Each structure stands twice: as C-alpha cells, then as structure tokens.
Amino acid sequence: MSGEARTHGSPQRGGGDRRDAQGRERGAARARGAGQRSESAPSQRAKVTDPARNVAFDVLQEVASSDAYANLVLPPLLRARGIRGRDAAFATELAYGTLRLRGRYDAIVSRCVDRPLDQVDPNVLDLLRLGAHQLLGMRVAQHAAVSETVGLARARAGAGSAQFVNAVLRKISRSTLEEWLEVISADAPDDVTRLAITQSHPVWIARAMREALVGTGRSADDLAELLEADNTAPRVTLVARPGLVSRERLAGEVTHDVRGDATTDPGRWAPTALVLSGSDPAAIPAVRHGAAGVQDEGSQLVTLAFAAAPTLPAAHSTPTAGALSDRAANPDERWLDLCAGPGGKAALLASLAGEQGARIVANEVAPHRARLVEQALAAVPADAVERVQVGDGRQVGVEEPGAYDRVLVDAPCTGLGALRRRPESRWRRTPGDIATLTTLQRELLGSALDAVRPGGVVGYVTCSPHLAETQLVVKDVLAGRDDVEVLDAAAAVRQVAGDDIPLADRTDVQLWPHVHGTDAMHLTLLRRRA
C-alpha cells in the first residue's frame, strides 16, 4: 500500500493508541487529550452536513445494527426530517444503491486502504461506501462527492476519520468505474466469480442463479444480464384490486395527485398492474383506503394465474356436462391463503373472491403480520373475508382436511427473487438458510395439499428462483403422494398475461427481472385428484 493512505488517517505504527473506547480513530491531538472541541462544535457541524446524505448514512446504520429493511426504515426518516422531492430521491438512490453495490465498493475500497476491511471501523466503512457510490454510481460532481462525504465523516465519526475518508475517496476518484471493475475482477478464477464481484452479489448466490437459469430452460449466458437487473432500482408498481377500483380510475387518481408531476403506465402482463413514477403511493386516495396497493407485477401475475386455474368436481364419478357448470357439483367458494402476511396477495385474492361470490381465510403464523393482513383487507367487502387467523400453516391440513377449494402457499423463502427491491438481503442470506427454509416449504406444501379438497387447486409460490426452493421442494413432496397432478401453470399465466409473455416450455413458471421486468417469482400449480 502506498504511503498516502497511511498519512491520511491510518493508525501510526508505534505512535500509541489512537482509538477511542468505541474503537474509532482519533486525531493525534485528541489521542493525547489535547485540542478537545467545545460541546457545541459537533452539533454545529452536524447542522451544515447535507440532510439527504445524513439520512442515507442513518439508513445504513439502522440496517446494519438492527437487521432492519431499508424500505421500512427510509420512508419514515424522510417524513420525520421533512425531506422531499429531489432531496428525497437523492437520499433514496444513495442509500439503496450503496446497499446493492456494497460488494463492488468493498472490493474497490480494499485496494485503497492498508488493512483488512474487518479492521476498518464499521461506521467509517459505511461512509466510504457512500462516497464510492457517489463517485462511481451516481451523477455527483467529484469534488462534491468527496467534500460532502468528508464533512459527513467529520460530523459523525470525528476529524481523524474524516482525514482517512478524504484520502481513500481521493484515491478512488483517480480511476473510472470501468477501470476499477477491471482491477477488482482481474484475479477472479472463473466467469461466475468475476460477475459476482463486479455485479456485487455473493458468489454462492451468483452460482445459484446460474443453475436456476439453466434449470428453468434459459441460457447460462443470461447471468450477467440478470445480476445487472438485480442492481437496477425497480419502478413502483400499484395493484388495482378488482371490484374495488379499476386500473383506469386509479390512473386518474394518480394524474390528479397534488404534486402534479406523477405519471403512470399500464403493467406489461397483469391487467391489475399500474407502474407509477413521480408520486408517493401513500398520497393516492385509493392506496390510502385499501382499494389499491403497492405490489410487484410478478406477484400480481402469479396470484391471478392461481385464481384462474380450474377446479374439478369433488365427486369421484365423472359428472355430466350439466353438472360441470353446477356450482353445487363443483364448488369454488372457499379459498385459503396459508402464509398470508403481510397481506398483498391476500388482498388481491379477497377482491377476486368478492367478485366471484367466494370467501377467503387468511392464515398467518406471526401475530404482528396477521395485523398487517387485517389492514390490507380493510377495503374488501366483509362477505369476501371469512376470517384472518393466527396459526401454524403446517397444521392446517391436519386441522381442516379437505376443507378448501383453493389453497395458496406463498412460502417463506430466501427472497433471492427480490434482490433489486430489498438490496440488503443479499448480504444477509447464507447457503445454510436453504436447508431450514426448504424443510419448512415442504411441510407447508404438504399441509396445503391435505387442506384442499379432491378436485381443488394448490398454488405453490416463492419469491426465489433457487432450484432447491422451487422444483426440488415440489418434487420431494410429490414423491410421497399419489393423489396429486401437476397443472399447466404456464397456460394459466398466459390466460392472464396473453400469449406474448416469454415463458419456457415447462408446466411451472419462473419469472425473471431481466426478461419480464418483475421479481423472480416462481409458480407451480397442483390439483388433488378427484
């Protein structure tokens, strides 16, 4: 490492202890107890730091310290501090972009410091990541990216740390992003590792994505485009819940938003989807009242396809043509959302049920998530909701065997299909999570198949393309049963989205961000044999 980084903020070898009780670096004067600032100085400096950058830093701190999700932390912070408009957009991109590209920036920072990153104070490392994103990932002038981040470091981490941040960011700024990508990928042993480093994914996730692409009928060459799509911020998508608000009326409400700069576009695949730009969804009346909500188009599409899959009569004998249309012979009026929290799919299902004269039971194991389901269902007609219950979905098949015409299993999963939407999740998941989750997924799917009547339909959904969570779970469950048939989920999706939607030649469906512009949702449809 060059002498420059040591000069600007690195610990001096043999120079005594220059870290405070929290392990943060101190300047030489502060280390020996001299030159202490007045009590008012930190607050005065904090006032002149940029509010948007302060918020972004606070989001990173909260995500790291409490395992919070950025999409739940940032909006209330922006509201509490009165940050709106362009400043709010800047803070959002800075926080989310830094979280998404953390792996890339860590690889770059590691080549600009003289110690392993785990020996850099975590707060200072977050500041370096924020600065790197401004320099390499945003349209921020170089001098502003450095000076504003150094100012933030001085206010939040101290003068010594600010010197260190200044030195490292200046070194980063000497090369372009393309040059840095070449440097950090030079020693990669293979193409998947190279893409993982440059596209900021853990290597194990990049390998799992490649396997999922191949295993669902796509080319391994899609991997670069998929990982890049994971790093592209998704546009907000609204769902117009049938029977509560039309997509056209919802678009009209958005157009008359008081901000005056909101625009909408119809979704590509789901007739309920409306893509939003330039407006806070919470400001839209239909969203506030529950007639509409924020929901990824892929989530809408698999829910609509599940509701469209045909049930069969429960009777074992072959019915007459007239009996096929007889509701008493082929009931489709009691639906179950087995893992309903936080309620987006449940609300869409309930609105569909209300239109069709059916009713839904929403089951959720966590009480606080069950309350979110109740809130999501607030606008749905009361006769379309039988109840929201707190219970273990693994037990429903035992407690209510054959009691439902349809059961949706939106299974807890790694969430690898929503990495663009939850940027911090890629750094939290480990390969060890797969075994725990797939055990739960198999148990939930088995319970759903027991809870549905003969002739009824089960939809198995995950927001993950990982083959262990999708195809292998279904294969394992079906290996122990002879009373289940696999339905053509691709046909059900085309019935909703139209024949133009690009799907592999398979009965199950895997959506992809780089192909469909949605989260990577998986859908398998099953039916109990009548």
Side-chain angles (χ1 to χ4, degrees), residues 300-355:
Q300 297 180 46
L301 183 55
V302 297
T303 304
L304 295 169
F306 160 71
T311 61
L312 291 179
H316 291 285
S317 59
T318 303
T320 65
L324 276 173
S325 62
D326 185 350
R327 188 161 188 158
N330 185 21
D332 188 12
E333 56 193 16
R334 196 163 187 252
W335 302 356
L336 170 65
D337 188 346
L338 192 65
C339 312
K345 293 184 182 68
L348 180 52
L349 276 179
S351 65
L352 293 168
E355 284 197 317

